[in-house]
Amino acid sequence: MPTTVSVKTTRRIDMIDITSTVQKEVSTTGVQDGICVVYVPHTTAGITINEGADPDVCEDIMAKLSELVPSHRGYRHTEGNADSHIKASLMGSSVSILVENGRLLLGTWQKVFFCEFDGPRTRKVLIKVLD
Ligand code: ZN
């Protein structure tokens, strides 16, 4: 069974660093060498890996996504969140990270980000560590 963690978002569009939560789950399983899959079971949220050192990187990503996919642009899906679905697909719904010596094998500047596109909400992230 995967572990389900809860992520609370506070803006309509938001990127939240969940790296420490994911690493904690890896440590809990005791897996030394394997793969960690992080999956978002939502249609208007996504997950990505990118730079965590400079918060402006995430701000730039969110601003550019909003520029490319404006919130109102004559979409066929009339729930008011058509742009959220498109942004979620652009980011993707899962990432896989190699685990070595019990640690996520991320690059120096890499962090795992939960991407909210129709918040604020309380969301779920599923984490599974494979041996
Ligand atoms: Zn919708």
Side-chain angles (χ1 to χ4, degrees), residues 30-61:
V31 170
Q32 290 301 300
D33 294 283
I35 298 173
C36 177
V37 179
V38 186
Y39 175 72
V40 175
H42 300 289
T43 61
T44 55
I47 191 126
T48 194
I49 295 172
N50 214 301
E51 182 180 322
D54 179 0
D56 280 341
V57 171
C58 284
E59 292 299 328
D60 285 340
I61 290 171

Side-chain angles (χ1 to χ4, degrees), residues 1-65:
M1 285 289 287
T3 297
T4 303
V5 297
S6 179
V7 177
K8 228 181 166 69
T9 62
T10 57
R11 299 191 285 171
R12 182 166 191 268
I13 298 178
D14 210 354
M15 290 176 72
I16 295 171
D17 181 355
I18 60 166
T19 312
S20 61
T21 302
V22 177
Q23 178 57 56
K24 196 190 293 175
E25 180 57 23
V26 171
S27 301
T28 300
T29 64
V31 170
Q32 290 301 300
D33 294 283
I35 298 173
C36 177
V37 179
V38 186
Y39 175 72
V40 175
H42 300 289
T43 61
T44 55
I47 191 126
T48 194
I49 295 172
N50 214 301
E51 182 180 322
D54 179 0
D56 280 341
V57 171
C58 284
E59 292 299 328
D60 285 340
I61 290 171
M62 291 186 283
K64 184 51 76 176
L65 282 172

Side-chain angles (χ1 to χ4, degrees), residues 114-127:
F114 175 85
C115 306
E116 175 64 82
F117 296 117
D118 196 18
R121 295 196 200 195
T122 300
R123 300 289 205 166
K124 280 182 202 162
V125 175
L126 307 184
I127 303 170

